[in-house]
């Protein structure tokens, strides 16, 4: 249930949870005394070793670097006492051009917001860590199935989609051992091909992808996964050959007639099927 107050405050409520190598910062957005929404953040690279250090770093990066003054609420309520609370509050006040408070000892409805944020942070971190463990297990199974010597660190998956046979779009989703790497997702608008020509679309998307790689943009994947059968795989192999990337592991997934999950056929570059 929402914890609602009628005092009309604007506040962000921040709570941090830490467990093993995982951290979560949960942010509840309160405007005019009402909870409008919340969001989880999972910092992947952290130098902070304690919860208060992590919160200080998060506030510095999120409220002083990425957001303008208009985005700052009147108050930030945090789950831990911060050593640099005065400096942070002064910096946020300067950025906002008005008074911004930073507090962690609160009562009443604000304490309930903070308790809710802390509970959500803990639950979200538990689910996040469980998901990461499942991702690692899936990557290990893939390594075993393909007979690889080590775990693949980066998998790029390409798919071609259409809107009524027109408006062809290529998409790339990326995974590593911890799951989806959403910041590396890409979309490609396909141009200059016959509508519905998946082979030409596949060639265009991969050509543009590896031209970017040649310019120093992005990382080289360990596995390239193509949505399609032998035809799409052949197109992909031709593109890799042009960029002298023949050693890159190429895998195709062809949907079954029913297009139901679990009934796909997997193809390797050499034409072998699983």
């Amino acid at each position: 249930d929402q914890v609602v107050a009628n005092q009309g405050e604007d506040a962000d409520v921040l709570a941090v949870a830490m467990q093993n190598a995982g951290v979560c910062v949960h942010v509840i957005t309160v405007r005019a005394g009402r909870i409008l929404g919340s969001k989880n953040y999972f910092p992947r690279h952290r130098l902070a070793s304690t919860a208060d250090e992590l919160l200080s770093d998060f506030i510095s990066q999120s409220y002083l670097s990425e957001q303008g003054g208009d985005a700052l609420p009147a108050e930030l309520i945090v789950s831990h006492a911060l050593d640099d609370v005065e400096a942070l509050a002064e910096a946020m006040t300067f950025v906002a051009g008005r008074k911004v408070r930073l507090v962690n000892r609160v009562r009443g409805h604000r304490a309930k917001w903070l308790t809710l944020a802390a509970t959500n942070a803990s639950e979200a971190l538990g689910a996040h860590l469980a998901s990461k463990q499942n991702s690692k297990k899936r990557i290990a199974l893939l390594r075993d199935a393909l007979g690889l010597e080590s775990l693949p660190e980066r998998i790029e998956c390409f798919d071609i989609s259409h809107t009524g046979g027109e408006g062809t779009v290529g998409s790339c989703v990326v995974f590593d051992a911890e799951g989806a790497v959403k910041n590396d997702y890409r979309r490609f608008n396909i141009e200059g091909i016959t509508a519905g020509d998946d082979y030409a679309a596949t060639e265009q998307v991969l050509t543009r992808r590896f031209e970017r790689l040649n310019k120093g943009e992005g990382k080289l994947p360990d596995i390239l996964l193509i949505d399609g059968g032998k035809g799409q795989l052949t197109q992909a192999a031709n593109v890799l050959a042009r960029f002298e990337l023949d050693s890159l592991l190429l895998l195709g997934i062809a949907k079954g007639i029913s297009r139901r999950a679990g009934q796909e056929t997997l193809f390797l570059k050499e034409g072998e099927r699983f």
Side-chain angles (χ1 to χ4, degrees):
D1 294 337
Q2 283 198 356
V3 181
V4 179
N6 296 318
Q7 282 78 0
E9 299 108 322
D10 287 349
D12 282 1
V13 187
L14 287 70
V16 61
M18 305 179 72
Q19 180 182 334
N20 300 324
V23 296
C24 174
V25 179
H26 185 80
V27 181
I28 294 177
T29 302
V30 179
R31 296 296 181 265
R34 288 186 170 271
I35 294 177
L36 298 186
S38 63
K39 188 172 182 179
N40 296 311
Y41 297 88
F42 303 98
R44 299 192 67 166
H45 304 288
R46 61 184 181 92
L47 298 177
S49 58
T50 62
D52 60 303
E53 290 178 354
L54 180 69
L55 270 176
S56 292
D57 290 348
F58 181 85
I59 291 170
S60 296
Q61 295 172 16
S62 300
Y63 292 90
L64 299 180
S65 299
E66 299 175 8
Q67 297 190 19
D70 292 341
L72 279 162
E75 184 175 59
L76 261 65
I77 305 171
V78 297
S79 58
H80 295 74
L82 309 181
D83 289 338
D84 55 352
V85 59
E86 293 181 2
L88 283 173
E90 184 177 345
M92 288 188 293
T93 294
F94 176 79
V95 169
R98 51 183 163 75
K99 182 69 173 178
V100 177
R101 298 181 301 275
L102 181 57
V103 298
N104 95 289
R105 298 176 66 86
V106 290
R107 297 179 179 180
H109 61 274
R110 289 150 82 225
K112 292 181 180 179
W113 290 339
L114 198 52
T115 299
L116 178 62
T119 300
N120 289 350
S122 180
E123 292 179 353
L125 179 57
H128 180 67
L129 292 175
S131 177
K132 284 171 60 175
Q133 282 300 114
N134 287 336
S135 294
K136 289 178 179 178
K137 289 179 181 178
R138 293 189 187 103
I139 293 290
L141 289 171
L142 180 62
R143 174 201 60 196
D144 297 341
L146 296 176
L148 305 178
E149 294 182 358
S150 59
L151 287 174
E153 296 181 359
R154 183 181 177 89
I155 302 172
E156 294 190 4
C157 313
F158 287 85
D159 180 39
I160 305 299
S161 58
H162 312 272
T163 303
E166 299 180 357
T168 306
V169 174
S171 58
C172 172
V173 298
V174 182
F175 293 87
D176 63 13
E178 296 186 351
V181 186
K182 294 187 178 180
N183 287 341
D184 288 357
Y185 283 16
R186 294 291 182 268
R187 287 175 62 86
F188 302 84
N189 292 320
I190 310 301
E191 301 172 350
I193 68 168
T194 303
D197 188 348
D198 281 4
Y199 295 166
T202 299
E203 180 180 17
Q204 184 177 138
V205 167
L206 294 179
T207 297
R208 288 162 60 183
R209 165 67 180 94
F210 290 109
E211 283 177 345
R212 291 179 179 180
L213 185 68
N214 276 355
K215 296 176 182 177
E217 300 178 20
K219 304 174 183 178
L220 182 66
D222 298 303
I223 297 177
L224 198 62
L225 196 151
I226 305 297
D227 180 25
K230 292 182 179 179
Q232 285 88 347
L233 213 58
T234 298
Q235 292 295 110
N238 291 339
V239 173
L240 293 181
R242 291 207 310 270
F243 288 93
E244 299 181 349
L245 293 172
D246 303 81
S247 61
L248 183 58
L249 181 57
L250 188 56
L251 188 65
I253 299 184
K255 299 181 179 68
I257 296 176
S258 66
R259 303 183 73 83
R260 294 173 61 184
Q263 296 186 358
E264 302 88 355
T265 300
L266 303 184
F267 294 90
L268 288 170
K269 183 167 57 178
E270 294 79 6
E272 177 185 352
R273 71 165 62 190
F274 282 84

